[in-house]
Amino acid sequence: YSVSPPPSPPPCFPFGDSSMLSPKLGLSFFGSNFVLSIVGIWMLESRRPRPAILYLAVLLFTIINDATSLSFFGVLLYDDGFAGMVSLGSCLLSLFVKPLLSVILYQEISKRGGTLNIKGFHKAMRR
């Protein structure tokens, strides 16, 4: 008498679980990109240079954080199969696009009247 395993539940997404990012990337990867999204929404809502400067600071932090997350956890993504490859590809795409976004953001800060030298930074933070 042998017991067969219970049937697997149907996938919640059209591609199964492969359409989600792998949790092996770590909490710091997801947390920093979530904070980046929240500060980005605040930057879009405000026309002052201060949110744009803070967004640039968070963006530079997430570039460093993404690189370290990929260096530590990138090898673990190969074991996840297709879901790991999708996660790795989206992380790399995000890492390659963020420096371009930093240049565009610097132009937006200049357009809003802010500068990134020490005197201009203190002036923007007091507004």
Side-chain angles (χ1 to χ4, degrees), residues 9-17 19-20:
C12 300
F13 300 101
F15 300 110
D17 291 335
S19 62
M20 296 175 57

Side-chain angles (χ1 to χ4, degrees), residues 8-126:
S8 62
C12 300
F13 300 101
F15 300 110
D17 291 335
S18 64
S19 62
M20 296 175 57
L21 287 175
S22 175
K24 290 183 180 178
L25 286 171
L27 184 62
S28 66
F29 177 81
F30 294 110
S32 64
N33 285 305
F34 177 73
V35 170
L36 182 70
S37 301
I38 297 300
V39 174
I41 291 170
W42 178 40
M43 185 204 73
L44 290 175
E45 182 267 331
S46 176
R47 296 301 304 167
R48 297 178 300 162
R50 181 179 177 185
I53 292 171
L54 291 176
Y55 184 76
L56 183 63
V58 173
L59 184 68
L60 294 176
F61 172 75
T62 58
I63 290 172
I64 295 167
N65 189 30
D66 289 358
T68 55
S69 293
L70 281 175
S71 66
F72 286 122
F73 304 118
V75 178
L76 298 175
L77 295 174
Y78 286 110
D79 297 336
D80 283 349
F82 183 69
M85 291 298 148
V86 169
S87 297
L88 186 63
S90 65
C91 292
L92 287 173
L93 180 66
S94 170
L95 188 61
F96 293 146
V97 169
K98 284 179 182 178
L100 176 66
L101 186 59
S102 298
V103 172
I104 295 169
L105 189 59
Y106 177 76
Q107 293 174 351
E108 181 67 26
I109 290 170
S110 298
K111 189 188 303 180
R112 291 182 182 189
T115 59
L116 291 180
N117 60 13
I118 300 299
K119 184 182 274 186
F121 183 74
H122 290 301
K123 182 180 173 185
M125 288 299 152
R126 278 187 258 138

